[in-house]
């Protein structure tokens, strides 16, 4: 009842171009075509060594970038329905993954988690993963603060991240397959370091999902 009333007062619009759409949180067909779509990312160097596959659900541009920024920096959780809608387009990847599989969110630095009150990656992926029978297992932690990685070279990023993550105590990852999840991928240095830590602890295959990639 409330949603009918809300739709009447504020008809649902595309979060990118403000065109009218049928459901709240939905992108319009034009914006879906340009910004959203499951795609495998090319792995090079270390990323190829430690990650067995990476998929992004959207491009980190325009409305997708704005939704993520508002969720992260203004803690605006009303962005989540549109972000969940982006994932809905990506169910085709499930048959390509091994089962059983546990999803591991890339952990936030403790001070950032305290300030924000939530890990945006968990908020974005939790319900979608649960719908597809993939358990969310937060078994990586940050062991120290890392400096911002933007405007760094690939080698500098790798150096900055080395030793910044660890498998939580009591977690036995040996022989198991994992799916790393993160909100954005830029160079892949963070995902690669997380995968390296898991594989060093004995994990078998590591895949990764990111909501949005800066690579086209
Ligand atoms: Zn649109």
């Amino acid at each position: 009842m409330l949603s009918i009333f809300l739709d009447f007062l504020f008809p649902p619009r595309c979060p990118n171009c403000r065109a009218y759409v049928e459901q709240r949180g939905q992108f319009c067909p034009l914006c879906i075509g340009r910004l959203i779509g499951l795609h495998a990312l090319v792995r090079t160097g270390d990323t190829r060594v430690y990650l067995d596959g990476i998929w992004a659900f959207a491009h980190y541009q325009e409305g997708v970038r704005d939704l993520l920024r508002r969720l992260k920096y203004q803690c605006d959780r009303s962005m989540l329905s549109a972000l969940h809608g982006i994932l809905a387009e990506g169910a085709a990847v499930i048959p390509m993954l091994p089962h059983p599989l546990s999803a591991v969110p890339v952990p936030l630095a403790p001070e950032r988690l305290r300030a924000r009150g939530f890990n945006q990656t968990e908020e974005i992926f939790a319900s979608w993963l649960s719908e597809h029978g993939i358990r969310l297992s937060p078994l990586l932690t940050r062991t120290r603060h890392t400096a911002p990685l933007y405007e760094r070279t690939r080698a500098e990023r790798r150096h900055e991240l080395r030793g910044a993550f660890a498998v939580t105590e009591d977690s036995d990852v040996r022989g198991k397959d994992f799916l790393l999840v993160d909100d954005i991928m830029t160079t892949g240095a963070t995902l690669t370091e997380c995968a390296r830590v898991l594989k060093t602890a004995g994990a078998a295959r590591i895949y990764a999902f990111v909501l949005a990639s800066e690579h086209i």
Side-chain angles (χ1 to χ4, degrees), residues 152-163:
R152 302 283 192 104
T153 64
R154 188 177 270 267
E156 285 170 343
R157 285 171 186 242
R158 193 164 49 203
H159 181 259
E160 180 60 33
L161 288 166
R162 190 51 77 100

PDB file of all heavy atoms in Angstrom, residues 152-163:
ATOM      1  N   ARG A 152      49.081   5.722  -7.453  1.00  0.00           N
ATOM      2  CA  ARG A 152      50.302   4.950  -7.214  1.00  0.00           C
ATOM      3  C   ARG A 152      50.532   4.036  -8.400  1.00  0.00           C
ATOM      4  O   ARG A 152      49.595   3.640  -9.074  1.00  0.00           O
ATOM      5  CB  ARG A 152      50.148   4.061  -5.964  1.00  0.00           C
ATOM      6  CG  ARG A 152      49.823   4.795  -4.684  1.00  0.00           C
ATOM      7  CD  ARG A 152      51.073   5.465  -4.141  1.00  0.00           C
ATOM      8  NE  ARG A 152      50.831   5.927  -2.783  1.00  0.00           N
ATOM      9  CZ  ARG A 152      51.301   5.310  -1.711  1.00  0.00           C
ATOM     10  NH1 ARG A 152      52.003   4.193  -1.820  1.00  0.00           N
ATOM     11  NH2 ARG A 152      51.067   5.788  -0.514  1.00  0.00           N
ATOM     12  N   THR A 153      51.804   3.671  -8.602  1.00  0.00           N
ATOM     13  CA  THR A 153      52.098   2.693  -9.664  1.00  0.00           C
ATOM     14  C   THR A 153      51.731   1.312  -9.149  1.00  0.00           C
ATOM     15  O   THR A 153      51.516   1.108  -7.947  1.00  0.00           O
ATOM     16  CB  THR A 153      53.588   2.694 -10.023  1.00  0.00           C
ATOM     17  OG1 THR A 153      54.310   2.251  -8.872  1.00  0.00           O
ATOM     18  CG2 THR A 153      54.069   4.073 -10.437  1.00  0.00           C
ATOM     19  N   ARG A 154      51.691   0.364 -10.066  1.00  0.00           N
ATOM     20  CA  ARG A 154      51.348  -1.010  -9.701  1.00  0.00           C
ATOM     21  C   ARG A 154      52.314  -1.549  -8.635  1.00  0.00           C
ATOM     22  O   ARG A 154      51.899  -2.172  -7.660  1.00  0.00           O
ATOM     23  CB  ARG A 154      51.409  -1.875 -10.970  1.00  0.00           C
ATOM     24  CG  ARG A 154      50.898  -3.266 -10.807  1.00  0.00           C
ATOM     25  CD  ARG A 154      50.954  -3.966 -12.155  1.00  0.00           C
ATOM     26  NE  ARG A 154      49.737  -3.782 -12.905  1.00  0.00           N
ATOM     27  CZ  ARG A 154      48.714  -4.646 -12.862  1.00  0.00           C
ATOM     28  NH1 ARG A 154      48.791  -5.729 -12.113  1.00  0.00           N
ATOM     29  NH2 ARG A 154      47.632  -4.433 -13.563  1.00  0.00           N
ATOM     30  N   ALA A 155      53.624  -1.278  -8.825  1.00  0.00           N
ATOM     31  CA  ALA A 155      54.633  -1.784  -7.883  1.00  0.00           C
ATOM     32  C   ALA A 155      54.459  -1.132  -6.511  1.00  0.00           C
ATOM     33  O   ALA A 155      54.587  -1.789  -5.474  1.00  0.00           O
ATOM     34  CB  ALA A 155      56.029  -1.518  -8.428  1.00  0.00           C
ATOM     35  N   GLU A 156      54.150   0.167  -6.495  1.00  0.00           N
ATOM     36  CA  GLU A 156      53.957   0.868  -5.212  1.00  0.00           C
ATOM     37  C   GLU A 156      52.729   0.323  -4.474  1.00  0.00           C
ATOM     38  O   GLU A 156      52.747   0.171  -3.257  1.00  0.00           O
ATOM     39  CB  GLU A 156      53.766   2.369  -5.468  1.00  0.00           C
ATOM     40  CG  GLU A 156      55.043   3.087  -5.823  1.00  0.00           C
ATOM     41  CD  GLU A 156      54.803   4.523  -6.321  1.00  0.00           C
ATOM     42  OE1 GLU A 156      53.660   4.856  -6.689  1.00  0.00           O
ATOM     43  OE2 GLU A 156      55.772   5.286  -6.347  1.00  0.00           O
ATOM     44  N   ARG A 157      51.676   0.035  -5.217  1.00  0.00           N
ATOM     45  CA  ARG A 157      50.466  -0.518  -4.591  1.00  0.00           C
ATOM     46  C   ARG A 157      50.766  -1.874  -3.962  1.00  0.00           C
ATOM     47  O   ARG A 157      50.354  -2.154  -2.840  1.00  0.00           O
ATOM     48  CB  ARG A 157      49.364  -0.714  -5.640  1.00  0.00           C
ATOM     49  CG  ARG A 157      48.706   0.562  -6.070  1.00  0.00           C
ATOM     50  CD  ARG A 157      47.798   0.332  -7.263  1.00  0.00           C
ATOM     51  NE  ARG A 157      47.284   1.611  -7.738  1.00  0.00           N
ATOM     52  CZ  ARG A 157      46.003   1.953  -7.755  1.00  0.00           C
ATOM     53  NH1 ARG A 157      45.094   1.113  -7.348  1.00  0.00           N
ATOM     54  NH2 ARG A 157      45.621   3.129  -8.172  1.00  0.00           N
ATOM     55  N   ARG A 158      51.496  -2.689  -4.721  1.00  0.00           N
ATOM     56  CA  ARG A 158      51.801  -4.033  -4.219  1.00  0.00           C
ATOM     57  C   ARG A 158      52.625  -3.933  -2.944  1.00  0.00           C
ATOM     58  O   ARG A 158      52.381  -4.629  -1.964  1.00  0.00           O
ATOM     59  CB  ARG A 158      52.551  -4.821  -5.299  1.00  0.00           C
ATOM     60  CG  ARG A 158      52.640  -6.296  -4.997  1.00  0.00           C
ATOM     61  CD  ARG A 158      53.021  -7.077  -6.215  1.00  0.00           C
ATOM     62  NE  ARG A 158      54.191  -6.494  -6.883  1.00  0.00           N
ATOM     63  CZ  ARG A 158      54.476  -6.673  -8.151  1.00  0.00           C
ATOM     64  NH1 ARG A 158      53.687  -7.385  -8.913  1.00  0.00           N
ATOM     65  NH2 ARG A 158      55.549  -6.129  -8.687  1.00  0.00           N
ATOM     66  N   HIS A 159      53.591  -3.018  -2.943  1.00  0.00           N
ATOM     67  CA  HIS A 159      54.454  -2.843  -1.775  1.00  0.00           C
ATOM     68  C   HIS A 159      53.632  -2.341  -0.579  1.00  0.00           C
ATOM     69  O   HIS A 159      53.791  -2.814   0.546  1.00  0.00           O
ATOM     70  CB  HIS A 159      55.579  -1.858  -2.114  1.00  0.00           C
ATOM     71  CG  HIS A 159      56.524  -1.644  -0.985  1.00  0.00           C
ATOM     72  ND1 HIS A 159      56.466  -0.529  -0.179  1.00  0.00           N
ATOM     73  CD2 HIS A 159      57.519  -2.418  -0.507  1.00  0.00           C
ATOM     74  CE1 HIS A 159      57.396  -0.622   0.746  1.00  0.00           C
ATOM     75  NE2 HIS A 159      58.045  -1.754   0.564  1.00  0.00           N
ATOM     76  N   GLU A 160      52.730  -1.391  -0.827  1.00  0.00           N
ATOM     77  CA  GLU A 160      51.918  -0.814   0.247  1.00  0.00           C
ATOM     78  C   GLU A 160      50.994  -1.866   0.875  1.00  0.00           C
ATOM     79  O   GLU A 160      50.717  -1.840   2.075  1.00  0.00           O
ATOM     80  CB  GLU A 160      51.092   0.355  -0.318  1.00  0.00           C
ATOM     81  CG  GLU A 160      50.193   1.066   0.678  1.00  0.00           C
ATOM     82  CD  GLU A 160      50.958   1.676   1.839  1.00  0.00           C
ATOM     83  OE1 GLU A 160      52.105   2.116   1.634  1.00  0.00           O
ATOM     84  OE2 GLU A 160      50.393   1.694   2.963  1.00  0.00           O
ATOM     85  N   LEU A 161      50.516  -2.816   0.052  1.00  0.00           N
ATOM     86  CA  LEU A 161      49.530  -3.787   0.527  1.00  0.00           C
ATOM     87  C   LEU A 161      50.155  -5.033   1.149  1.00  0.00           C
ATOM     88  O   LEU A 161      49.483  -5.765   1.867  1.00  0.00           O
ATOM     89  CB  LEU A 161      48.632  -4.221  -0.638  1.00  0.00           C
ATOM     90  CG  LEU A 161      47.645  -3.170  -1.128  1.00  0.00           C
ATOM     91  CD1 LEU A 161      47.060  -3.577  -2.473  1.00  0.00           C
ATOM     92  CD2 LEU A 161      46.526  -2.958  -0.115  1.00  0.00           C
ATOM     93  N   ARG A 162      51.434  -5.257   0.857  1.00  0.00           N
ATOM     94  CA  ARG A 162      52.066  -6.496   1.312  1.00  0.00           C
ATOM     95  C   ARG A 162      51.990  -6.597   2.844  1.00  0.00           C
ATOM     96  O   ARG A 162      52.395  -5.703   3.551  1.00  0.00           O
ATOM     97  CB  ARG A 162      53.531  -6.535   0.825  1.00  0.00           C
ATOM     98  CG  ARG A 162      54.268  -7.846   0.997  1.00  0.00           C
ATOM     99  CD  ARG A 162      53.528  -9.040   0.463  1.00  0.00           C
ATOM    100  NE  ARG A 162      53.546  -9.230  -0.983  1.00  0.00           N
ATOM    101  CZ  ARG A 162      54.349 -10.092  -1.629  1.00  0.00           C
ATOM    102  NH1 ARG A 162      55.231 -10.814  -0.980  1.00  0.00           N
ATOM    103  NH2 ARG A 162      54.273 -10.225  -2.937  1.00  0.00           N
ATOM    104  N   GLY A 163      51.400  -7.691   3.328  1.00  0.00           N
ATOM    105  CA  GLY A 163      51.294  -7.896   4.778  1.00  0.00           C
ATOM    106  C   GLY A 163      50.142  -7.154   5.427  1.00  0.00           C
ATOM    107  O   GLY A 163      50.002  -7.159   6.648  1.00  0.00           O
TER     108      GLY A 163
END
